[in-house]
Amino acid sequence: MTDALSPSDIAKRASALRAAEFVEPGMRVGLGTGSTAAFLVQRLGERLRSEGLRIRGVPTSARTADLAQAEGIEVTTLEEVGWLDITIDGADEVDGRLDLIKGGGGALLREKIVATASERVVIIADAGKRVGTLGAFPLPVEVIPFGLGATRRLVEDLLAGADVGARQVELRLRDGRPFVTDEGNHILDLRLERIGNARQLSLGLNQIPGVVENGLFLGIADTLVVGRPDGGAEVVDMSQADGVPFAGTDNIFTEVVD
């Protein structure tokens, strides 16, 4: 199966296979969105068929729900289960504190709701997603369609005083039309290059009328599983101060050491 995959996809799949080991029978599982999360759902389907694994999955998008149902996984809602044992999802960027940028697939709102309603959040990624400073990947901001122009201007005004490397705001399009999320909203992609103070920026964005949520996932992830092109995977857990270095000059446990 891995012969037809690119080195990046082999790494993504490796991270998903390792993370799938955290899922135990009877768990309520948040199922992420994106190419790496798709490998996870497929693996859980394999376990269902080979081991009889029974779980209840809460998908973060319609795409994930369709895939989970095709794999035979019981799909439910957050309202029905109330709380989740674990959520496993991908990321577009992850820094040394396990802070993330997510939302490249357009499901950031549901992803953040599901993640924050979980006992444990496991992020799966290939090594290319690890960065010293967040911001190279465009930051998605979900906004309601009403008053979109005014909301965009307020976002641009906020960025004018923010500690970022660039300040380009683009409306996400699909087939020449505004991209529509599963919740019926649009997405502004902020091309910032570098985010100096992610927490301040996140708070500022979410105070703007018309902004529903932003793609900064701060202090949410508990564990990172990084896949390698050789099919292996590395597990980085915030509870283990083992000094694992990330790309750039940051270290995941710098603040702990200090």
Side-chain angles (χ1 to χ4, degrees), residues 28-29 56 58 78-86 115-120:
R28 300 155 295 179
V29 183
R56 286 184 288 172
V58 175
L78 193 56
E79 288 74 17
E80 290 175 339
V81 299
W83 199 255
L84 300 172
D85 298 295
I86 190 171
T116 53
S118 304
E119 290 295 332
R120 183 181 187 185

Side-chain angles (χ1 to χ4, degrees), residues 190-208:
L190 314 188
R191 300 186 180 277
L192 308 176
E193 297 181 359
R194 176 192 58 81
I195 299 174
N197 189 327
R199 282 155 181 77
Q200 184 180 65
L201 179 61
S202 180
L203 288 171
L205 287 169
N206 283 1
Q207 289 176 349
I208 294 175

Side-chain angles (χ1 to χ4, degrees), residues 136-161:
F137 190 90
L139 174 64
V141 178
E142 186 160 341
V143 297
I144 66 171
F146 178 82
L148 175 61
T151 302
R152 178 172 181 165
R153 179 169 179 173
L154 289 171
V155 170
E156 292 170 341
D157 288 346
L158 175 69
L159 294 180

